[in-house]
């Protein structure tokens, strides 16, 4: 019997939908888009209405074939892809390639529940061709942008680079922030803290001296100068001598209460999540990247736990509103429920006019679904649940007390007795309201530390206050912080650049393409990013103009609504003003000033010859003591500094704002890595500086030492100075690893070697630290055997730690809710929560790593495990047994057979590198993720 065929995007969504539709429906997955523009070439007929040429993807060919076969036995076709632009475009492509002869219906829902699915089946609609046009315009626009602009970057900066409508402005934001940091001039300022001897005691801070405000970090500009206020006295900057003098004069004195002010405190809940706020709070509270948040949310939606996760709306349906208010009453009691339902308004208008992100109805608490979700999914679900409930809860209420205290002190700089005024404040929460379930991060609320609970004693004006301690404190102004993924998403939202649904992929794309790398949680631009943004700003300013990017989204909305025509908009963008009155101007033209009406095509053609590649890729850092200019440049093999003809590589973990002229001169004065320091057995020996520190190298890739396939390398000892390395030092280092002999008990060889985390002896995979690098050259077999006869310990800071003892403790992970520590392992330092282990990343230093970064590393590792089909926290016991069996069998093989096997394995791996090299560059051209 024929039955309806239902097509959705993903297998997970198909599986969930099948549960509600039952066996009367055949539910299949398209697995995303089945067709796209071919990767090579433009494939857009710009001369004839911008008609695109599509082709089925490799996966799409199989999917379409299977769906056509299923259609033969179908009574009707339901296209149930997502209800946004991309979902509409997928349905349209399916319709174009399947060419069904049965009735076709478009089925949409924003949550996968029985009620929502039944409603969608009973209320189908047709394909929204306005949304299809908007989606196609976006796709063609991104291909045109990338196809025309990316080759300019290839010719003037480096091969393989790409430009994108949303990607490039995103990189510009990150580069501009780094420029601000480079230009920033820090300055020192002092203040005084006083702790009272009252019950309870409280802290107060010096805020005024002789009637003038004491300067804090907010009073200085980026040049280190105090900004004069529009009214009142200019703040006074205290130096160390004056602060210490005032503190000495205040020591032993009682303060007098000058004023006490009480104000009612009230705090209202935030709206339910939309895509942007979910990404931001997921990053801040759970330490997940934007792409991780969206991947987990996608899974929760497709499995029926939350509503559609790509939305820029914050409203709740009547059904959801009732469910939310019932849940609040059930979980917390009626006094925590807001008197009337709250509906929130979104800040901006957009195409994604869906409901807020919330749990699906009927609501299930996090405890109720805990057995169905992994730790990461449960943490995000709990966040969504809490935020949804909080949105309908009563305001938090309390009292904020602000107090001013005063005392006299002798100002050593003038010898006068001056008035010193201190300030203290505290908030007492009398009713927690929504805070009982959810407290938004301070980055979202914009509130400062004054909002924290703190109890002040009941004091009145004129009361005397005893002081237990007076402490002068020095501070240094800090440059504006680099963007994190959460703060970048917030800024993109403020500037209306791109769509919430694309931000996660864009942030990942700029990292994958080498424009940005992460230092902890901070996004750091590369020097290549500096060169690309300079080129675009100086020659194609409008293309990276934030208003242009934002207005493009406005025009796409107009196309979706039928207010503008797709082909005419593209014609104006690409060809510019051609005097055709039927082609209206676009909101923001591709060019600027005199170029405003040129259009993208002529803009690129007329600017290409005016681009000076040498100038674009040169960034002055300053001059050396002899007046020679020192510059930084991005290079084919990485950034480097240059002084005349003298060059030196820049370590790839050195951020641009850390590359001062002093640092550049230090790199230039270091021994040249291309010049050998001597020869050993007829082959050159080099001293080099790499990512993990200085080392010596014997031979090169063209002429490796006899019996080796590549040059031999050995790290310098910590006691050695790179600039003073001699051939004697090199010969000693190149002895490593030293074969000390074989263990008489089992015949297994033992070696002594140096590693990234210090010296050690090695017996197969059993590594033991030794206490001195110098011992590497002296340790005997007997001494090594003695080490192996003792319990395994690690050495850190001169003290022994148990083999699995922590090097550092970070606190409780917000996802697994387990304690996180750093440990030393076979392959270096890693962080762990007892379930998941994660190695430190590029730019991480154990002594500097924060708890937030440790949690983020674990989140990234969990993501990688899940992507490979694994489950975080579960050990693959069977794999270990197989590995052990292979190892046992391998010991029976001869050395010659081992050698042959290794060579064969190497030969098999080689073609993979060749294949990677042939990857078409055109894949970097189009900004497909936007």
């Amino acid at each position: 019997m024929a039955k309806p065929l239902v097509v959705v995007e993903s297998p997970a969504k198909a599986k969930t939908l099948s549960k509600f539709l039952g066996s009367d429906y055949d539910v299949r997955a398209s697995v995303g888009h089945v067709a796209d523009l071919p990767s090579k070439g433009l494939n857009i007929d710009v001369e004839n209405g911008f008609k695109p040429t599509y082709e089925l993807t490799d996966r799409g060919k199989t999917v379409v074939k299977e769906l056509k076969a299923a259609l033969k036995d179908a009574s009707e076709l339901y296209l149930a892809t997502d209800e946004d632009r991309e979902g509409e475009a997928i349905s349209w492509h399916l319709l174009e390639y399947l060419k069904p002869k049965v009735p076709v219906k478009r089925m949409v829902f924003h949550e996968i529940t029985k009620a929502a699915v039944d409603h969608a089946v009973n209320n189908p609609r047709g394909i929204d061709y306005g949304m299809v046009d908007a989606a196609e315009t976006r796709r063609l626009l991104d291909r045109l942008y990338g196809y025309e602009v990316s080759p300019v970057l290839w010719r003037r900066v480096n091969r393989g680079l790409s430009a994108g409508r949303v990607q490039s402005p995103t990189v510009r934001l990150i580069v501009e922030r780094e420029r601000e940091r480079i230009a920033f001039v820090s300055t020192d300022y002092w203040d005084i803290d006083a702790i009272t001897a009252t019950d309870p005691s409280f802290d107060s801070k010096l805020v005024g001296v002789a009637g003038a405000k004491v300067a804090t970090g907010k009073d200085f500009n980026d040049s280190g100068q105090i900004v004069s206020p529009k009214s009142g006295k200019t703040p006074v900057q205290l130096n160390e001598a004056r602060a210490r003098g005032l503190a000495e004069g205040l020591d032993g004195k009682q303060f007098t209460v000058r004023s006490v002010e009480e104000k009612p405190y009230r705090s209202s809940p935030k709206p339910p999540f939309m895509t942007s706020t979910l990404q931001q709070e997921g990053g801040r509270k759970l330490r997940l990247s934007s792409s991780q948040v969206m991947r987990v949310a996608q899974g929760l939606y497709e499995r029926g736990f939350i509503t559609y996760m790509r939305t820029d709306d914050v409203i709740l349906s009547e059904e959801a509103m009732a469910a939310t208010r019932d849940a609040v009453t059930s979980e917390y009691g009626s006094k925590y429920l807001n008197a009337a339902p709250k509906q929130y308004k979104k800040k901006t208008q957009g195409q994604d006019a869906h409901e807020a992100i919330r749990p699906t109805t009927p609501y299930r608490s996090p405890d109720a679904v805990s057995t169905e979700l992994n730790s990461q999914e449960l943490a995000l679900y709990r966040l969504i649940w809490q935020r949804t409930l909080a949105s309908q809860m009563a305001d938090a209420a309390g009292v904020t007390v602000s107090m001013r205290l005063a005392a006299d002190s002798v100002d050593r700089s003038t010898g006068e007795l001056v008035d010193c005024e201190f300030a203290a404040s505290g908030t007492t929460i009398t009713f927690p309201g929504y805070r009982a379930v959810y407290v938004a991060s301070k980055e979202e609320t914009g509130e400062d530390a004054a909002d924290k609970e703190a109890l002040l004693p009941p004091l009145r004006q004129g009361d005397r206050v005893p002081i237990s301690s007076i402490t002068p404190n020095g501070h240094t102004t800090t440059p504006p912080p680099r963007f994190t993924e959460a703060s970048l998403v917030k800024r993109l939202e403020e500037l209306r650049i791109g769509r919430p649904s694309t931000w996660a992929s864009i942030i990942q794309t700029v990292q994958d393409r080498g424009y940005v790398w992460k230092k902890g949680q901070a996004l750091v631009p590369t020097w290549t990013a500096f060169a690309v943004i300079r080129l675009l700003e100086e020659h194609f300013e409008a293309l990276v103009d934030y208003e242009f990017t934002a207005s493009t989204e406005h025009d796409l909305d107009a196309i979706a609504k039928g207010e503008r025509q797709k082909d005419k908009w593209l014609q104006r963008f690409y060809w510019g003003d051609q005097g055709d009155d039927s082609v209206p101007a676009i909101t923001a033209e591709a060019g600027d000033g005199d170029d405003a009406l040129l259009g993208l095509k002529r803009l690129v053609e007329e600017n290409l010859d005016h681009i000076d590649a040498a100038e674009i890729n040169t960034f002055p850092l300053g001059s050396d003591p002899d007046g020679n200019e020192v510059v930084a440049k991005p290079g084919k093999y990485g950034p480097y500094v240059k002084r005349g003809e003298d060059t030196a590589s820049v370590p790839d973990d050195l951020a641009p704002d850390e590359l001062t002229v002093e640092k550049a001169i230090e790199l230039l004065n270091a021994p040249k890595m291309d010049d050998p320091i001597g020869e050993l057995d007829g082959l050159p020996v080099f001293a080099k500086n790499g990512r993990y520190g200085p080392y010596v190298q014997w031979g090169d890739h063209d002429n490796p030492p006899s019996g080796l396939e590549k040059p031999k390398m050995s790290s310098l000892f910590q006691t050695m100075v790179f600039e003073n390395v001699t051939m004697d030092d090199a010969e000693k280092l190149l002895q490593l690893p030293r074969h000390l002999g074989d263990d008489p008990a089992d015949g297994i060889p033992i070696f002594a070697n140096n590693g990234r985390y210090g010296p050690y002896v090695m017996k197969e995979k059993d590594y033991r630290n030794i206490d001195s690098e110098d011992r590497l050259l002296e340790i005997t077999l007997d001494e090594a055997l003695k080490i192996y006869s003792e319990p395994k310990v690690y050495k850190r800071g001169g003290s022994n730690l148990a083999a699995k003892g922590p090097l550092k403790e970070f606190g409780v992970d917000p996802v697994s809710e387990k304690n996180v520590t750093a440990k030393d392992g076979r392959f270096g330092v890693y962080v762990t929560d007892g379930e998941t282990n994660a190695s430190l990343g590029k730019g991480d230093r154990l002594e500097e790593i924060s708890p937030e970064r440790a949690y983020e590393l674990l989140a990234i590792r969990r993501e990688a495990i899940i992507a490979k089909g694994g489950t975080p926290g579960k050990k693959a016991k069977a794999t270990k047994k197989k590995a052990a069996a292979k190892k046992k069998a391998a010991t029976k093989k001869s050395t010659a057979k081992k050698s042959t096997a290794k060579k064969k394995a190497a030969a098999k791996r080689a073609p993979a590198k060749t294949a990677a090299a042939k990857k078409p560059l055109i894949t970097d051209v189009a900004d497909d993720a936007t």
Side-chain angles (χ1 to χ4, degrees), residues 542-596:
L543 296 181
V544 287
D545 180 76
Y546 303 132
E547 184 57 37
F548 166 73
T549 309
S551 67
T552 299
E553 296 295 341
H554 179 272
D555 287 351
L556 292 176
D557 287 339
I559 292 171
K561 296 173 184 175
E563 297 169 358
R564 300 208 60 160
Q565 292 183 343
K566 174 189 67 176
D567 54 346
K568 290 187 176 181
W569 191 94
L570 288 168
Q571 179 180 337
R572 180 68 179 225
F573 170 78
Y574 190 72
W575 294 114
D577 183 8
Q578 295 183 304
D580 185 351
D581 294 336
S582 68
V583 182
I586 61 180
T587 303
E589 303 286 358
D592 193 26
D594 294 337
D595 294 334

Side-chain angles (χ1 to χ4, degrees), residues 369-386:
V369 300
S370 60
T371 59
E372 302 175 60
L373 303 175
N374 64 36
S375 59
Q376 207 170 66
E377 293 167 337
L378 183 60
L380 191 64
Y381 181 82
R382 180 180 288 110
L383 199 67
I384 295 168
W385 161 269
Q386 292 172 338

Side-chain angles (χ1 to χ4, degrees), residues 606-905:
E606 295 186 15
N607 275 279
L608 183 59
D609 292 337
H610 298 100
I611 301 173
D612 185 335
E615 181 182 351
I616 288 294
N617 289 279
T618 301
F619 300 92
L621 301 175
S623 300
D624 67 7
D626 297 326
N628 300 307
E629 185 180 39
V630 180
V631 300
K633 297 174 75 71
K636 185 176 181 181
Y637 303 106
Y640 62 96
V641 289
K642 185 176 183 181
R643 176 180 55 189
E645 297 302 316
D646 193 11
T647 62
S649 295
V650 174
D652 55 7
D653 60 352
L654 187 70
D657 74 330
E658 298 169 1
L659 184 57
T660 61
V661 66
E662 292 79 17
K663 181 64 178 179
I665 292 172
E666 177 188 326
L667 295 171
L668 289 164
N669 290 341
K672 295 301 171 220
M673 295 183 286
D674 295 333
D675 299 329
I677 60 174
E679 287 190 0
L680 180 62
D681 295 343
L683 293 176
V685 175
F686 303 90
K688 297 197 172 191
N689 215 339
R691 179 184 301 178
Y692 304 120
Y695 63 95
V696 292
Q697 174 181 307
W698 180 27
D700 54 36
H701 289 280
D702 295 328
N703 296 292
S706 177
L708 299 179
E709 295 181 357
K710 58 183 181 180
K712 185 171 184 179
M713 304 173 190
S714 186
S715 297
L716 268 61
F717 290 171
Q718 291 182 353
T719 54
M720 295 178 176
V721 179
F722 178 58
E723 292 80 0
N724 301 331
V725 173
T726 65
M727 270 303 296
D728 287 340
D729 296 327
E731 289 185 38
K732 292 176 182 177
L733 293 170
L734 291 168
Q735 293 179 41
L736 303 176
R738 278 181 65 222
H739 180 207
L740 306 182
D742 298 343
D743 188 333
D746 51 25
I748 297 175
I750 298 177
F751 297 88
N753 201 5
N754 205 6
R756 184 180 177 188
Y757 299 103
Y760 61 90
V761 289
M762 173 182 67
K763 179 183 174 184
E764 285 194 330
K765 294 186 177 181
D766 190 353
Y767 297 78
R768 302 292 180 96
N769 291 338
I770 56 179
D771 55 14
S772 167
E773 289 177 320
D774 291 333
R775 288 197 66 201
L776 287 171
L777 306 175
E778 304 166 354
I779 190 170
T780 65
L781 177 62
D782 289 341
E783 290 173 326
L785 290 172
K786 184 179 179 182
I787 292 174
Y788 278 105
S789 69
E790 298 171 351
K792 188 173 182 180
V793 296
Y794 289 89
K795 303 264 185 174
R796 274 294 180 272
S799 60
N800 290 346
L801 296 173
K804 294 185 179 180
L807 302 177
K808 189 174 182 178
E809 296 182 351
F810 297 102
V812 178
D813 181 81
V815 174
S816 68
E817 298 183 347
K818 296 181 180 296
N819 288 322
V820 178
T821 60
K823 293 186 177 182
D824 201 349
R826 183 184 304 159
F827 305 109
V829 177
Y830 64 96
V831 294
T832 179
D833 63 354
E835 294 181 344
T836 306
N837 301 336
S839 299
L840 302 194
K842 173 182 174 181
D844 289 327
R845 303 285 186 275
L846 179 59
E847 61 273 13
E848 299 175 359
I849 194 170
S850 65
E852 290 76 15
R853 175 57 176 165
Y855 307 151
E856 182 186 32
L857 289 170
L858 289 173
I860 293 170
R861 179 59 184 154
R862 292 188 195 103
E863 172 90 1
I865 292 172
I866 293 169
K868 292 179 180 179
T871 301
K874 289 190 177 181
K875 297 181 179 179
K877 294 181 180 179
T879 304
K880 287 190 173 183
K881 289 179 181 178
K882 288 181 181 178
K886 286 182 180 179
K887 181 178 175 183
K888 188 173 182 180
T891 58
K892 297 179 181 179
K893 296 182 180 180
S894 66
T895 306
K897 287 182 179 180
K898 284 184 180 179
S899 177
T900 304
K902 286 181 180 178
K903 287 181 180 177
K904 284 183 178 180

Side-chain angles (χ1 to χ4, degrees), residues 122 128 174 198 519 536 548:
N122 296 326
D128 187 331
I174 298 169
T198 55
K519 185 174 185 179
L536 294 175
F548 166 73

Side-chain angles (χ1 to χ4, degrees), residues 8-10 12-13 16-17 20 80-83 108-113 294-310 357-358 360 381 384:
V8 297
E9 295 97 331
S10 75
K13 186 176 176 181
T16 306
L17 197 59
F20 298 115
T81 53
D82 292 343
E83 55 179 330
V108 295
F109 40 79
H110 65 271
E111 63 178 322
I112 308 178
T113 61
M294 293 307 292
R295 184 197 63 77
V296 176
Q298 177 94 30
L300 290 173
Y301 163 68
E302 291 176 345
R303 291 165 60 194
F305 289 98
I306 64 171
T307 53
Y308 192 52
M309 67 290 159
R310 294 188 181 95
I357 302 170
R358 58 166 175 82
T360 52
Y381 181 82
I384 295 168

